[in-house]
Amino acid sequence: MPNPTVTADAAGVQIPLLGFGTWQLEPDVARHMVRTALEIGYRHIDTAWIYKNEKTVGEGIRDSGVPRDQIFLTTKIWVAHFADGNLQRQAEESAESLGTVPDLLLLHWPKRTPAMEETVRALNDARARGLTKHIGLSNFPSAAFEEAQGYSDAPLITNQVEHHPYLSNRPLIDMARTLGSTLTAWSPLAQGKVADEAVLIEIGRTHSKTPGQVTLRWLVQQGIIAIPRSTRESRARENFNIWDFQLGGEEMQRISRLARSDGRLGDWLDPSFQWDAAA
């Protein structure tokens, strides 16, 4: 059975392929579900300053009893804190709220003000100060991804973006590989829409799996990190149970062909940037 906690190398860093997301989880729910996810076997937890649950995410980690060095923890710098100095202060606040230094600190969305060079250099400074082990991005189109890496002394080890069968991100996937980085998929189950997809239902029957499990398997087989979230233990267990089957090449292609021009579900991109054209 493949190791469910390790992905392909990202600039020397091993990031668990399957994580547990906490977007829109109220603090008490986040604490309970983080503990539950870690007890199930997840070893990658994702949060953000703007989610307002970093404190209880940290509590859930400690409640679980799982050694901290076995957990990969990600949080994000909000766009209002991108200026040099402000960014480092938010990084300090996040580490204090979490009760631990995160493994990965991301810029949550790209912004032109302040200048990207200033923001990326401040992110590198946060890393140099020991406020995170690694740095990366979230919601950066491929041109901005490449630009940001050009300003960064340290590797930007992932770009976390919306990604699921209905949204083609081929340019972003290719850019990540060119830069020796990775892609992390938020809303990997298209906010539940995959459950009713006939193609995924049919493939799932072949493997005795749900459409959600098929979708997550499709992602991790491409080396794409997925961070589904749930408020239910049963669903979190279902999402984790994807390591005992393999999708064939034709099945992978059928799922990829589900991409469509109107597949994006969440778009808060600054108008000074543009998403890559659909492949």
Side-chain angles (χ1 to χ4, degrees):
M1 180 184 297
N3 187 332
T5 63
V6 177
T7 186
D9 181 90
V13 183
Q14 300 297 318
I15 307 174
L17 274 171
L18 188 61
F20 186 81
T22 63
W23 178 55
Q24 293 185 327
L25 294 189
E26 293 296 325
D28 288 347
V29 176
R31 179 174 183 168
H32 170 70
M33 288 306 303
V34 165
R35 173 180 177 169
T36 298
L38 291 168
E39 289 172 346
I40 289 168
Y42 291 84
R43 290 296 181 266
H44 180 175
I45 303 295
D46 180 90
T47 185
W49 181 90
I50 200 65
Y51 299 171
K52 303 185 187 306
N53 61 18
E54 285 179 318
K55 183 176 185 295
T56 55
V57 165
E59 290 168 347
I61 288 172
R62 290 186 290 278
D63 291 346
S64 75
V66 176
R68 175 65 184 88
D69 62 3
Q70 294 181 18
I71 301 167
F72 192 93
L73 176 61
T74 299
T75 194
K76 309 175 191 74
I77 298 287
W78 185 239
V79 295
H81 307 148
F82 273 13
D84 187 23
N86 290 343
L87 187 150
Q88 292 93 325
R89 280 189 287 275
Q90 196 227 282
E92 290 176 349
E93 179 185 334
S94 289
E96 183 177 350
S97 295
L98 290 163
T100 184
V101 170
D103 296 279
L104 179 58
L105 189 62
L106 308 180
L107 301 178
H108 210 148
W109 288 86
K111 297 291 283 187
R112 284 295 177 202
T113 306
M116 189 186 297
E117 181 175 6
E118 175 184 338
T119 300
V120 173
R121 295 201 182 283
L123 184 66
N124 276 262
D125 184 57
R127 176 179 175 272
R129 294 187 189 191
L131 298 172
T132 181
K133 295 177 183 176
H134 309 288
I135 56 176
L137 308 172
S138 184
N139 303 304
F140 275 55
S142 61
F145 189 2
E146 185 174 32
E147 180 184 355
Q149 183 59 76
Y151 296 133
S152 184
D153 296 328
L156 301 172
I157 65 170
T158 202
N159 187 10
Q160 186 183 123
V161 299
E162 178 184 347
H163 188 54
H164 45 70
Y166 301 124
L167 182 61
S168 173
N169 277 314
R170 178 51 54 188
L172 274 173
I173 294 169
D174 291 344
M175 180 58 70
R177 289 174 178 163
T178 296
L179 297 175
S181 185
T182 59
L183 210 67
T184 299
W186 59 259
S187 287
L189 304 179
Q191 298 176 17
K193 289 179 170 51
V194 299
D196 299 319
E197 176 56 56
V199 170
L200 299 171
I201 292 170
E202 180 185 340
I203 293 172
R205 286 185 183 134
T206 301
H207 299 280
S208 299
K209 294 293 180 181
T210 66
Q213 290 170 320
V214 169
T215 300
L216 293 171
R217 185 70 209 184
W218 171 76
L219 288 165
V220 301
Q221 276 190 214
Q222 297 176 73
I224 295 172
I225 302 154
I227 50 168
R229 69 150 174 89
S230 180
T231 59
R232 296 162 48 197
E233 179 178 346
S234 60
R235 184 56 54 81
R237 287 188 181 279
E238 175 188 311
N239 290 342
F240 192 74
N241 187 22
I242 62 169
W243 305 104
D244 58 352
F245 76 108
Q246 184 96 3
L247 295 171
E250 183 180 358
E251 292 172 323
M252 294 287 287
Q253 291 171 15
R254 289 181 67 195
I255 298 169
S256 296
R257 287 197 293 267
L258 293 172
R260 57 200 191 202
S261 60
D262 62 347
R264 192 177 300 281
L265 300 173
D267 191 357
W268 301 276
L269 187 67
D270 187 293
S272 62
F273 296 89
Q274 288 188 330
W275 292 116
D276 299 278

